[in-house]
Amino acid sequence: MLEQRVRSWVELQDALFAGSWNESLQRFRPTLAFRGMPDSRHDLATSLNRRGGNYSRQEHVMLRAFRKYARGTSNPCESLWDWLSLAQHHGLPTRLLDWTFSPYVALHFLSEDPELYGVDGVVWSVDYRETNRLLPRPLKAQLQEEGADVFSAEMLATVAGDLGTFDRLTRHPFVLFFEPPSLDERIVNQFALFSVMNDASARLDTFLEKQKRGVRRLIVPAHLKQEVRDKLDQANITERVLFPGLDGLSRWLRRYYNPRPPGARDEPQ
């Protein structure tokens, strides 16, 4: 795993888009998933990890109850992976972790909270072609058959219709990335995808620490956060766009018209 610290907006752009040239396509089409976090000390624990206790038992019970009580809502779900995506989207603790194809969306989540402008942030990037090398044979075959690098919920359901089957595909830990169904505009606008591991108690950061290729932690220092935030606002990467509706509009206005936060820095210390 590579860790890199940037010192300017220009250096940040270069780092985010490094390696995006796809020789086979002759296009700038990277195979990277991004996750932005406001504090570089934050880990990659899932919401289920953070609950503690018997992860697998809690996961099964909560998801079963969610499916039972959520039926009849406006979101049709055909497979377990649809239900799991819907549950994650609405805040149920799951083994999924939110990622995005967009480095700028990742930067939004790094810089959305002015109260944390006094600490360094981090953007994780993972090349899913590299993590796909460790997938069990049935999942690799599914990707090859579809000519894809990431899964859809439908593709996953073809190989594993339930989490027990998914976990038993191999004894070795692995991670895969899949695109959730377009449940609403928020998922679409955030260019979202999820990571999932074959063990509810597994920690993704622990897994990624052992990867020699395709994993990077990009440290964005505190002094750069305000500039990042202002330039994202100028590029219309805001709560109003990423969280369509009145709630997102109010979040954007509340932040945009706030005084400059006292923790923001103008230059490196």
Side-chain angles (χ1 to χ4, degrees), residues 55-68:
Y55 299 110
S56 57
R57 178 62 180 170
Q58 291 182 356
E59 177 182 49
H60 173 73
V61 171
M62 287 190 296
L63 189 57
R64 181 184 63 197
F66 183 83
R67 295 174 70 172
K68 177 172 66 175

Side-chain angles (χ1 to χ4, degrees), residues 51-195:
R51 286 182 62 84
N54 189 330
Y55 299 110
S56 57
R57 178 62 180 170
Q58 291 182 356
E59 177 182 49
H60 173 73
V61 171
M62 287 190 296
L63 189 57
R64 181 184 63 197
F66 183 83
R67 295 174 70 172
K68 177 172 66 175
Y69 295 119
R71 291 190 184 278
T73 62
S74 58
N75 296 108
C77 293
E78 297 181 0
S79 71
L80 163 89
W81 301 100
D82 290 336
W83 281 110
L84 200 58
S85 299
L86 183 66
Q88 171 75 5
H89 189 55
H90 288 282
L92 186 75
T94 76
R95 68 168 73 184
L96 303 185
L97 205 58
D98 294 278
W99 296 75
T100 176
F101 289 106
S102 168
Y104 286 164
V105 171
L107 287 179
H108 168 83
F109 289 107
L110 177 148
S111 62
E112 68 174 338
D113 187 353
E115 296 298 321
L116 294 175
Y117 280 9
V119 299
D120 296 347
V122 62
V123 176
W124 285 81
S125 70
V126 177
D127 188 335
Y128 38 79
R129 288 181 306 182
E130 294 296 330
T131 53
N132 286 347
R133 297 178 189 274
L134 299 178
L135 294 179
R137 188 172 300 172
L139 291 171
K140 285 184 177 179
Q142 184 69 8
L143 285 177
Q144 186 174 10
E145 180 180 338
E146 297 288 340
D149 289 316
V150 297
F151 291 85
S152 66
E154 183 180 14
M155 290 167 62
L156 279 176
T158 300
V159 178
D162 58 76
L163 287 173
T165 301
F166 181 74
D167 290 346
R168 291 190 297 269
L169 287 173
T170 179
R171 291 178 297 175
H172 305 292
F174 67 85
V175 63
L176 63 78
F177 292 85
F178 76 97
E179 293 186 73
S182 298
L183 301 169
D184 58 20
E185 290 182 281
R186 174 155 54 114
I187 280 183
V188 174
N189 291 3
Q190 292 179 14
F191 213 175
L193 73 164
F194 294 141
S195 65

Side-chain angles (χ1 to χ4, degrees), residues 26-63:
Q26 292 291 294
R27 301 285 296 273
F28 288 94
R29 295 285 174 82
T31 53
L32 297 175
F34 297 93
R35 178 175 172 85
M37 305 174 74
D39 190 332
S40 62
R41 296 167 296 184
H42 290 170
D43 56 36
L44 294 181
T46 66
S47 53
L48 195 61
N49 290 149
R50 291 192 294 270
R51 286 182 62 84
N54 189 330
Y55 299 110
S56 57
R57 178 62 180 170
Q58 291 182 356
E59 177 182 49
H60 173 73
V61 171
M62 287 190 296
L63 189 57

